[in-house]
Amino acid sequence: MNKSKKTYYNDWRLKNVCAYCGGFADTEDHVPSRCFLNDPLPDEPPVVPCCEECNKSFSLDEEYVSCVIDCMKEGTTDVPSIQRTKTHNTLNHSIALAEKIKSQCWDSGGVQFWEYEKDRFLRVMRKLAFGHLAYYNETLAFDSDFLVSMKLLEQMNDSERKSFEQPYLNDFVPEVGSRALQKSLFFIVEDGTHKSIKHLSQWETVQEERYRYCTSSEGNKVKFVIAEYLAVEVELAN
């Protein structure tokens, strides 16, 4: 599709605004980045406008985070043993990155321990969350403080997993014209004589087994799962 004909937002006030810093958007960015997805990529994957500086500044962090997650999931830092093609090729090409990740993993009594770079993870989780809110809710959150929680799906107990997988139940209707409104489920809740309309958010699957996300109608929360392994929730603090 010709970029000049793409519709990123239905609200004209948001056009040409970088989803990550609020500056002038002179390019576009995949949300999630292609490093988190397998080839072939989905048809017309989600993209948001962004500035050239933001587009370039996240690349190495996203590559690092994606490779760490895949190494953790596969339980190895040995490049020849890594099954995921994209991660195998990346680490085979970047010896420095492969050595860095290897140095952050050690075995103690048959149990693996990881000392990943938390600041890089937080940067990437912020970027992913703000990109989803911009694309799906038409919410620009670049000036918001945020809180990030991360946990491996396999380490969640039944109650935690059920809570995380439950879509957001919202009191507010999504922005008119947004993708969130177009894919909404509404229902009426009765409490005695009082009736209220609730909105149920939906999980969106970008690629099976690789990436899915869910945003709240209020545009203040988003959760996503990477590689059906790492569960993340980002909440705006203001």
Side-chain angles (χ1 to χ4, degrees), residues 156-173:
M156 290 182 175
N157 60 39
D158 291 343
S159 177
E160 291 173 324
R161 181 67 182 265
K162 183 178 180 180
S163 177
F164 181 81
E165 296 288 357
Q166 179 66 35
Y168 292 114
L169 182 62
N170 311 279
D171 293 319
F172 300 97
V173 175

Side-chain angles (χ1 to χ4, degrees), residues 168-186:
Y168 292 114
L169 182 62
N170 311 279
D171 293 319
F172 300 97
V173 175
E175 186 77 21
V176 174
S178 67
R179 291 176 176 85
L181 182 62
Q182 295 169 15
K183 298 185 179 182
S184 291
L185 288 178
F186 294 96

Side-chain angles (χ1 to χ4, degrees), residues 18-35:
C18 177
Y20 309 124
C21 73
F24 178 74
D26 46 9
T27 184
E28 64 184 16
D29 184 58
H30 288 80
V31 186
S33 170
R34 286 174 285 190
C35 66

Side-chain angles (χ1 to χ4, degrees), residues 138-149:
E138 299 196 3
T139 297
L140 294 179
F142 52 82
D143 59 351
S144 301
D145 292 328
F146 62 99
L147 301 173
V148 177
S149 60

Side-chain angles (χ1 to χ4, degrees), residues 9 13-25 49-51 54 58 126-127 129-134 138-146 219 236 238:
Y9 309 120
R13 294 170 298 175
L14 307 183
K15 295 184 185 297
N16 300 321
V17 178
C18 177
Y20 309 124
C21 73
F24 178 74
C50 70
C51 66
C54 282
F58 287 109
R126 172 196 181 274
K127 184 247 185 182
F130 287 14
H132 292 316
L133 291 173
E138 299 196 3
T139 297
L140 294 179
F142 52 82
D143 59 351
S144 301
D145 292 328
F146 62 99
L236 304 189
N238 57 6

Side-chain angles (χ1 to χ4, degrees), residues 76-116:
T76 183
T77 59
D78 179 51
V79 176
S81 301
I82 294 173
Q83 297 298 306
R84 187 183 177 225
T85 301
K86 188 169 286 187
T87 299
H88 174 93
N89 291 342
T90 297
L91 295 179
N92 198 45
H93 176 74
S94 177
I95 304 301
L97 178 59
E99 289 299 319
K100 176 186 287 290
I101 294 176
K102 185 176 182 179
S103 71
Q104 295 173 342
C105 174
W106 67 95
D107 185 280
S108 178
V111 179
Q112 279 190 335
F113 292 89
W114 293 82
E115 192 176 38
Y116 61 87

